[in-house]
Amino acid sequence: NQAAFMFIKKQFLSREINKTYLAIVEGVPEKSEGKIEYDIRPSTANRLKKVAVKKVTEVKTKAHRHARTLYKLKEKLGDKFSLLEISPLTGRTHQIRVHLSAIGHPIVGDALYGSKSRVGAKRQMLHAGALEFTAPDGKEISLSVDPPQDFKTIAKTIKSILNLDYPKNKIKIIVVNDSSKDKTREIAQKFKEVLVLDNKHKGVGKASALNHG
């Protein structure tokens, strides 16, 4: 009802609601947990984008919004990717995306904020996993939901292939140079399980294992 709605809305406005996200990001943070605390402002170059203010010399304006984000390393997915648990302490537009990009770990699939990985992600690998709040009757409510299938698939793909969890004699890895990428993609599409990497170790074909032993 309206009373319950207003009660919960007030908790959102006062930042009393705990929100937890999962994110697959590029790279592995040096610290297993930490706090990101950069102001966020609109980008002057792209109206769709926000910018983390890292320079203390930048003149603060009304457009600068204070933002804090906690992160915790849940799992290393090899040495090039990781799974993070994220808790935003403020609620700025694009806050998680901006902050993770600012520390050098953009969310996989988030091209707007610097993701360059090619592991089959068709969207940002960011999942709203849990919500904790107080009901009007004083009861503490905790809601959670598992990541969707595409999120799980990308995580599994990275773990299985880029970590080389499979026996080496069961994996087909094709390394190609820039001039042969198009042809290799064409070949790769004929297989359900094949990993294609370019000379910078970025996937350009399907990222999974090919049993050929």
Side-chain angles (χ1 to χ4, degrees), residues 150-167:
D150 64 336
F151 190 100
K152 295 178 181 178
T153 298
I154 293 299
K156 183 178 180 180
T157 294
I158 292 171
K159 288 173 63 176
S160 299
I161 302 307
L162 301 186
N163 270 343
L164 304 185
D165 286 342
Y166 292 112

Side-chain angles (χ1 to χ4, degrees), residues 185-204:
R185 285 195 189 95
E186 180 182 335
I187 295 172
Q189 298 308 313
K190 297 180 181 179
F191 298 92
K192 291 184 178 180
E193 297 181 330
V194 62
L195 171 63
V196 183
L197 301 177
D198 64 15
N199 53 7
K200 294 182 181 178
H201 303 287
K202 294 179 180 178
V204 298

Side-chain angles (χ1 to χ4, degrees), residues 13 24 29 31 48 82 95 132 194:
L13 294 175
I24 302 174
K31 297 180 179 180
L48 300 177
S82 54
Q95 177 175 319
E132 297 177 351
V194 62

Side-chain angles (χ1 to χ4, degrees), residues 86-134:
I86 310 295
S87 298
L89 301 182
T90 50
R92 309 307 180 196
T93 302
H94 295 187
Q95 177 175 319
I96 295 175
R97 299 165 65 190
V98 174
H99 273 176
L100 290 178
S101 178
I103 63 170
H105 301 294
I107 298 170
V108 169
D110 190 1
L112 182 62
Y113 289 103
S115 175
K116 294 180 173 59
S117 59
R118 301 179 184 177
V119 288
K122 296 181 180 179
R123 64 173 181 89
Q124 307 152 26
M125 290 295 102
L126 179 64
H127 169 65
L131 194 66
E132 297 177 351
F133 60 94
T134 303

Side-chain angles (χ1 to χ4, degrees), residues 45-120:
N46 184 342
R47 65 182 181 82
L48 300 177
K49 191 176 181 180
K50 303 295 181 179
V51 175
V53 181
K54 301 169 73 173
K55 295 181 179 180
V56 295
T57 56
E58 183 171 321
V59 177
K60 193 166 185 175
T61 70
K62 291 182 179 179
H64 290 64
R65 306 300 299 277
H66 180 63
R68 291 179 297 155
T69 303
L70 301 180
Y71 72 84
K72 182 183 296 184
L73 177 64
K74 284 188 65 70
E75 186 176 0
K76 289 178 65 175
L77 306 177
D79 60 354
K80 295 185 181 299
F81 299 89
S82 54
L83 177 65
L84 302 183
E85 181 180 282
I86 310 295
S87 298
L89 301 182
T90 50
R92 309 307 180 196
T93 302
H94 295 187
Q95 177 175 319
I96 295 175
R97 299 165 65 190
V98 174
H99 273 176
L100 290 178
S101 178
I103 63 170
H105 301 294
I107 298 170
V108 169
D110 190 1
L112 182 62
Y113 289 103
S115 175
K116 294 180 173 59
S117 59
R118 301 179 184 177
V119 288

